[in-house]
Structures are given as structure tokens and as C-alpha cells.
Amino acid sequence: MKKRRLNTYVFISMFFRSFLIQAVWNYQSMLSIGFCFALVPVANRLFKDRQKRIEFYNRHLNFFNAHPYFSSFALGAISRVEEDMVLEKKDEYIKVDRLKNALMGPLGAIGDQLVWATLKPASILVCLLAVLLIDIYETKIVFLFVLFVLYNIPHLYIRIFGIVKGYQSGYDVYKILKIERYKTVKNLYGALGGLAIGIIISYSILQSGEADVKFAIVFAISLLTAYFYKKYKQSIYLSLAIPSVLALFIGIIIENL
Amino acid sequence: MENIYIGLVGSLLVLDTTVAFQFLISQPLIACTLLGWFLGDIQLGVQVGMYLQLLWLSSMPVGAAIVPEGNLAAIVIAALVIRYNDSFENFNTVLICGLLYGIIVSYLGGELVVIFRKANQYFLHKVLALARKGKLNFLNVINYLGLIFHYTLMFVLIALAMYLGDFLFTYVLKIPVEWDKYFKYVVMSLIGIGSGLVLSLFKEKLYQQLIAVGLVIGCILFVLQ
């Protein structure tokens, strides 16, 4: 068993570089420049020969796309495969391309479902609920830090765990890329988000109704208009503008009755 | 000159949306608070962030999807509200006019992201050509250049939106203070509009049941208060 070449310094450097993985996102190769940028410490460590490094760069500047956080799994796995090739003196780099192509779908799908559709809205909704319920302004600020922590603990965990597990797994990384593995955290955050939005709606309706029943009615009409317009038309701009203008017209009519 | 500073700070926060880090500091709740602190009215910053937070939350930056730059718009709206809110006498008018203006800014921000992504193809061709020639250090340079390029585009948009906003708000301030009562209806509905949009994210039956539980808890909390 040959001594492994990649060390902790390489992985720490890769971790920090992964925060800029979308800096040059483009329609042609999507994440590729950022992905290759994050792999630079690996190339520097594995290849002393300049020509080999040029080949490495050209390999990884090809098309690649994934969820930005979950791309850390690909970074870890590709590092392992590249290192194995060097240690075993093989150059079957076609396998590297195949691995990258195979990872794109799962990394994107899990990331979008888990992060964009669950962790992010749930963290924000919980924090917003606290800001709505609490009157003391200093405590509201504290809850902004809570939002930051609530979201970034899983965020940073995915980035770190992805690099570590990806590297440990190599070609077998696909075995750990299943949404079921994240079911607990997805359900926990989803439940928190669902509860929070429910509380926000009923509490806000009652609060506006306490000020004036007319406000509660406008609140409910706006909610339903936005919900159904978004559901059937998908346009975010009109889903925002139409209920706003509608609420204004209702206000003008009620005040002039 | 303050518009330039708002542009400098705002575009730094906007980088967090997709291009770098993604720690959520670009979300209206946090970004408007930080901007409020920067402009000397942190309490108003929190309040504006609270109203705007849910409005763009349902747009997910999945793959190549072009989503409105709601975070950027929230920064412009917060800056305008902090500047033109006159002792809360016209708060509702200023917030809603700012919001309607912000919807346009968010659209322009989304279009600017398309331009940014298309322009990045030039960087891709450049880096490929340089890599073939063996000039490998350029990869680092180009990645940082992409970051600076995005920052500059967003800075220009925020600064221009602020200058144009100043011009438009000379007319908004002419709206009689008595009309503020009409705009109050829209302000009262903002959380409702945002909630309606966010509800579309909770499609699973389990979450929908929990929303129902949340509705009941909200009523209990209100009664207890």
C-alpha cells in the first residue's frame, strides 16, 4: 500500500476554495471553472510534471454542474480517483469523466430538494416567526444570529462531510448519495418550516384583525391571490404585483365608502 | 455619495446570493438589518427586512434558472425607505412605492445575471486557451476576476437604482400624507402575499398537516398574548 499523497492542508484549501465554486458560472460549462479552481491544490500536490498538470486542468474544465454545497462530494471523490491513478501509475482518465457525469444528476437533485426547498425556507421561516412574535428589538437581532446558525450548521456540515466522505469513498461515492440518508434532517427542517408558516399566517391574520377587521380580510385575500396565481401562472413578478395592487384598490374603496 | 457607499456595501452582500459563500447574509432579513446599521437606523432595517423576506423566498436558484434578484431589490428598497421615511408619517407610502420599484429592480437584476453568465463564457474560452498554453496560474486569476466582475455589475445596478430611485421618490414624496392610509392596506397584506407564495414550497402531505397544526398554534399564541 503506497503512502497517500493528499494531506489535510490540501483538503482545507479545497474546502475554502469551494466557497467560490460558482464565481464564473456560465451557460457553456456551468460550474467547471469553479470546480477546477477548487481542485487546484490537488493538482499542485499530485503532479510535479507541468504537462500532467495541463492535462489535469483540461480534464476538469469540461462541463460540470451540481448543487454548490453538494459538489464537495464530487471534489472529494475526484481527488481520491486522481490520487489512485497516480499511485497505481494508471491513466484511465476516461473513468474520471464517467464518474463526474454520473454524479451530476444525484448531486443536483439532492441539493435542490434538501437545501433550496427545505433547509433554506425552514431556517428563514423560523427566524421570521421569532422576529414577528418578539417585541424587544435586541432579541430580534439575536434571532438573526439564530437564523445564521440554524442554516449554516447543516450547510458547513455538507461541505466538510462531502469532501471527507467523497475522498474516503472514491468511485463508491454514489452509494452515499441518496436522499434517504438526509431524510431525518429534511423532515425535521420541513416540519419546522411547515409549523412556522402556519403560525405566521394565523398569528398575522389575527394581529391585523385586532387592528381592524378590514386588514384581516385584505390579508386573507392577498394570501389566496398570491398562492393561486403562483400555483397556476408561475410568474413571481405578477404574483407579487397583482395582490399588492389589489390590496391598494380594496383600501381605496373601503376608505371611500 | 451615499448611493455609492450603498452600492459598495449592497453588492458585497449580493455576492452571497449565488456567486460566493451562500451563508444567507444576502437574505432581506439579514441584509436589510446590516444596511440599516450601516445607514444609522438598524430598527427600521429589521422592520423592512421582515416585510420583504417572504416575497422572493419561493424562487429557487435551481440549475440555470433565472430567478428575480429579490435580495438586491430588498437592499435598494430598504435604503430608499430609510432615506425617505419621514417620522413614519408616510412609511406605508414609501414602503409600497419602494416595493413596486423593487419588483422592477429585481427583474433587471435577474437579466443582469443572464448577461453575467453569458459574459463568463468569454472567461471560459480564455482559461481553456491559457490552460492549453500551459499558463495555469490564470485559472486562479480568472476565478477572482469573475467575482470582481459580478461585484462590479451589481454595484452599478444598485448605485444606478438608487440614483433613479432618488429621482422617482421626489414624486412619491408629493403623494399627500392622507393617502398613506390606502397604502397601509398593502403593507398589512405583505406578509400574506409572502406566505401565499411560500406555501407553494410545502407540497408534501406531512408538511401540509403541520401547517394546519401551526395555524392552530398561532391562534393559541395570539390568545395567550
Side-chain angles (χ1 to χ4, degrees):
Chain A
M1 182 80 183
K2 287 186 180 175
K3 195 178 173 235
R4 306 223 72 89
R5 289 201 188 168
L6 299 180
N7 55 24
T8 313
Y9 168 77
V10 170
F11 295 119
I12 291 172
S13 177
M14 197 198 296
F15 168 70
F16 283 112
R17 281 168 173 260
S18 74
F19 286 108
L20 301 181
I21 203 161
Q22 297 206 111
V24 200
W25 200 102
N26 62 83
Y27 288 114
Q28 199 174 327
S29 70
M30 299 204 168
L31 272 187
S32 75
I33 299 180
F35 188 76
C36 193
F37 169 78
L39 284 174
V40 165
V42 176
N44 291 344
R45 184 79 186 162
L46 291 181
F47 304 107
K48 298 296 167 208
D49 176 44
R50 192 171 182 76
Q51 189 54 39
K52 292 266 184 198
R53 253 192 289 163
I54 292 172
E55 286 166 15
F56 178 93
Y57 275 47
N58 282 317
R59 264 198 304 282
H60 295 295
L61 283 170
N62 286 334
F63 180 87
F64 182 72
N65 197 28
H67 185 276
Y69 302 174
F70 274 83
S71 60
S72 58
F73 284 89
L75 288 171
I78 293 295
S79 308
R80 176 57 177 262
V81 172
E82 288 279 358
E83 187 187 33
D84 286 346
M85 296 267 193
V86 171
L87 293 176
E88 292 162 18
K89 295 196 170 74
K90 288 180 184 170
D91 55 355
E92 298 164 330
Y93 290 111
I94 189 81
K95 286 184 178 175
V96 177
D97 284 339
R98 281 187 196 147
L99 177 63
K100 275 168 73 178
N101 289 338
L103 288 176
M104 275 190 262
L107 291 176
I110 297 173
D112 293 342
Q113 271 191 64
L114 182 68
V115 182
W116 296 152
T118 311
L119 294 182
K120 185 177 150 186
S123 311
I124 290 171
L125 286 168
V126 168
C127 177
L128 183 70
L129 174 65
V131 172
L132 276 169
L133 288 177
I134 294 162
D135 291 329
I136 306 158
Y137 146 77
E138 285 80 5
T139 319
K140 287 181 195 248
I141 303 288
V142 171
F143 270 93
L144 295 183
F145 285 104
V146 173
L147 162 64
F148 193 75
V149 173
L150 201 62
Y151 179 75
N152 284 303
I153 287 176
H155 163 204
L156 293 175
Y157 175 78
I158 292 165
R159 284 195 191 265
I160 296 167
F161 178 80
I163 291 177
V164 174
K165 274 286 171 189
Y167 180 71
Q168 286 171 353
S169 310
Y171 281 118
D172 293 334
V173 69
Y174 68 91
K175 288 180 184 169
I176 54 171
L177 288 174
K178 287 175 183 153
I179 191 72
E180 287 75 26
R181 286 182 71 94
Y182 304 95
K183 210 174 176 180
T184 311
V185 73
K186 187 175 179 287
N187 283 343
L188 176 69
Y189 273 74
L192 281 174
L195 275 174
I197 189 70
I199 299 172
I200 288 171
I201 291 171
S202 59
Y203 187 85
S204 301
I205 286 187
L206 290 170
Q207 200 179 35
S208 51
E210 193 185 32
D212 198 323
V213 179
K214 292 175 286 188
F215 292 139
I217 295 167
V218 174
F219 184 101
I221 292 172
S222 307
L223 186 148
L224 293 172
T225 313
Y227 174 72
F228 284 110
Y229 201 89
K230 178 86 189 334
K231 191 175 177 184
Y232 294 111
K233 296 284 179 184
Q234 296 292 324
S235 165
I236 183 74
Y237 301 106
L238 291 177
S239 304
L240 282 174
I242 288 174
S244 304
V245 175
L246 187 67
L248 183 63
F249 275 117
I250 293 172
I252 292 169
I253 291 165
I254 289 174
E255 290 296 324
N256 288 302
L257 275 177
Chain B
M1 196 61 191
E2 195 181 59
N3 288 343
I4 301 292
Y5 294 137
I6 291 167
L8 291 170
V9 175
S11 44
L12 203 61
L13 292 169
V14 167
L15 282 182
D16 178 75
T17 305
T18 47
V19 171
F21 307 112
Q22 297 187 295
F23 284 130
L24 282 201
I25 56 164
S26 56
Q27 286 299 313
L29 209 50
I30 297 180
C32 294
T33 304
L34 289 171
L35 196 74
W37 171 70
F38 177 71
L39 295 174
D41 197 341
I42 190 166
Q43 266 177 297
L44 191 53
V46 176
Q47 197 178 350
V48 175
M50 183 187 82
Y51 281 124
L52 302 178
Q53 178 57 67
L54 295 182
L55 299 179
W56 284 278
L57 186 59
S58 61
S59 314
M60 287 191 283
V62 177
I66 300 302
V67 294
E69 277 289 321
N71 299 341
L72 182 147
I75 286 166
V76 172
I77 297 167
L80 288 171
V81 171
I82 290 168
R83 184 175 292 169
Y84 291 104
N85 162 56
D86 184 14
S87 313
F88 285 91
E89 276 202 341
N90 63 347
F91 173 76
N92 300 311
T93 311
V94 168
L95 179 62
I96 298 309
C97 292
L99 172 67
L100 293 175
Y101 178 55
I103 293 173
I104 299 166
V105 173
S106 74
Y107 170 77
L108 292 175
E111 292 302 307
L112 207 59
V113 169
V114 178
I115 294 170
F116 166 71
R117 289 174 172 182
K118 282 182 181 168
N120 279 345
Q121 285 171 209
Y122 167 79
F123 285 127
L124 173 71
H125 296 145
K126 200 80 190 158
V127 82
L128 283 170
L130 289 164
R132 270 185 226 112
K133 287 179 189 167
K135 292 180 179 173
L136 303 179
N137 288 336
F138 272 90
L139 180 66
N140 289 336
V141 176
I142 281 175
N143 213 57
Y144 294 122
L145 269 179
L147 201 66
I148 295 165
F149 178 48
H150 189 271
Y151 177 80
T152 311
L153 280 182
M154 292 302 155
F155 162 73
V156 170
L157 180 61
I158 294 174
L160 284 178
M162 285 305 298
Y163 282 113
L164 184 63
D166 283 339
F167 171 73
L168 292 172
F169 269 68
T170 54
Y171 295 98
V172 171
L173 292 177
K174 286 178 185 165
I175 295 173
V177 179
E178 304 83 65
W179 288 22
D180 201 60
K181 63 186 177 202
Y182 304 138
F183 288 101
K184 189 167 185 187
Y185 283 84
V186 193
V187 172
M188 296 303 271
S189 70
L190 283 181
I191 303 278
I193 296 171
S195 304
L197 295 172
V198 172
L199 278 177
S200 63
L201 293 176
F202 296 91
K203 287 171 185 152
E204 290 179 32
K205 203 173 176 185
L206 170 72
Y207 301 153
Q208 288 172 350
Q209 288 167 345
L210 284 162
I211 291 172
V213 175
L215 288 169
V216 176
I217 295 173
C219 295
I220 296 167
L221 279 174
F222 183 78
V223 172
L224 291 176
Q225 268 201 347

